[in-house]
Amino acid sequence: MKPVRYALLPVSLLLVLHAGAQITLVSPGNVPINGRSYPVHRAAYLPPGPGGADMLFNFNTLAGTGTETYQWIDPATVPNGGQYPGAQFVLTNGGQDTVFYKQGASGLERVGDTQTITAMGTDYHLATNYTNNALDLMLPLSFQGTWTDLFSGTFTVVGDATTGQRDGAVSGLADAWGRVVMPGGADTVEVLRVTTRMQESIPLTVSGMPLNIAHVHNETAFYPLWGKYPVMRIVSDTLTSLITLNYSYVEWLDASAVGVAEQAAPPLALHVFPNPAKDLATVLVHSTPKGAVDVAVYDVRGALVWQQSTRDRTLDLPVSQWDAGLYQLVATDREGRHSTASLVVE
């Protein structure tokens, strides 16, 4: 039977008002789009540090030691995509490891993957179908939101007749929000920090000997508003059998991937007044928009409550019928540039 998933989200107005600038990860804003590429830089591991509200995470001094590129691609374009009929998105870095996802009712679910496991000095390439998917990212997700999900799947060792069962659990916590100073720069990006921990057991047979591998994957990801991929990841991956292997590193997006500098210095210079508001609030776009601007308003749960396109630099929001609380405004022009602002309705 499918295990029960559970989640805890902050909903009290007191907490909402306290967390004035936090962002909420939502669907479709943080759901992948096939065809997007993300060049990343990699450096040696460093501890994520404590979480909390209104934090400043300064990674300015990090220097990259290597690069690679991640892509979201259509499963139909992958040679083994037909083995994962429920998949909608594939995350790959061009190597042998790929992850197949779908958007489920609770968020982004992993439905299968191909993964290389090293045991006794030999690489084993596993192809896994999850009969009980893993919830890798809950949506919507706000500060202090948390989830736990059990998963299971059947794997096959590529080029071998060996099969087995993978069972484990993934847990997640949005443990911080604030701003990140990107490596090599002075600009900051608004983020929600999400920490996940995946634990599983993988029974392999190596040289005729049964060998159970304990796999633990810890990841701290910094998601920007509408980000389809974290701007930074801190990863620690451990495989334990007769020996223990650990792969730990930090990755961050190249500025070209998501326009980090543009996000840090909002191109539309959005302003809302009065704030707090009771009856009517006005959105002012200080910069001249390039074509029409789409203005969307989300509540603290990440639900869309109002949306309108305009070519003017001002737009009135009819907030008198909205529930009291914190709202997030997102303005996007025709070139895809966007800026955000927070609004409190009394």
Side-chain angles (χ1 to χ4, degrees), residues 117 119-120 122 124 126 155 157 160-164 202-213:
I117 299 292
M120 304 290 290
T122 301
Y124 296 86
L126 277 57
F155 71 83
V157 179
D160 194 329
T162 304
T163 62
I202 306 173
L204 276 178
T205 300
V206 178
S207 301
M209 179 180 67
L211 184 66
N212 190 67
I213 299 176

Side-chain angles (χ1 to χ4, degrees), residues 64-191:
T65 56
T67 61
E68 59 183 318
T69 300
Y70 290 91
Q71 290 180 294
W72 287 111
I73 58 178
D74 187 336
T77 65
V78 180
N80 61 341
Q83 299 177 25
Y84 308 93
Q88 298 171 297
F89 322 98
V90 178
L91 180 64
T92 177
N93 62 357
Q96 295 176 327
D97 295 349
T98 57
V99 186
F100 296 78
Y101 285 101
K102 77 169 187 178
Q103 182 183 0
S106 300
L108 203 57
E109 298 181 8
R110 178 162 31 105
V111 301
D113 57 45
T114 60
Q115 185 177 15
T116 301
I117 299 292
T118 302
M120 304 290 290
T122 301
D123 289 341
Y124 296 86
H125 306 297
L126 277 57
T128 303
N129 284 84
Y130 290 95
T131 52
N132 183 32
N133 298 339
L135 183 62
D136 281 359
L137 180 64
M138 186 176 71
L139 297 173
L141 182 63
S142 299
F143 177 52
Q144 294 185 338
T146 182
W147 78 94
T148 296
D149 187 37
L150 303 179
F151 65 85
S152 58
T154 302
F155 71 83
T156 301
V157 179
V158 178
D160 194 329
T162 304
T163 62
Q165 180 78 17
R166 296 171 69 170
D167 298 285
V170 57
S171 58
L173 168 65
D175 66 347
W177 65 267
R179 303 188 72 87
V180 168
V181 181
M182 298 298 289
D187 294 327
T188 61
V189 181
E190 290 183 79
V191 293

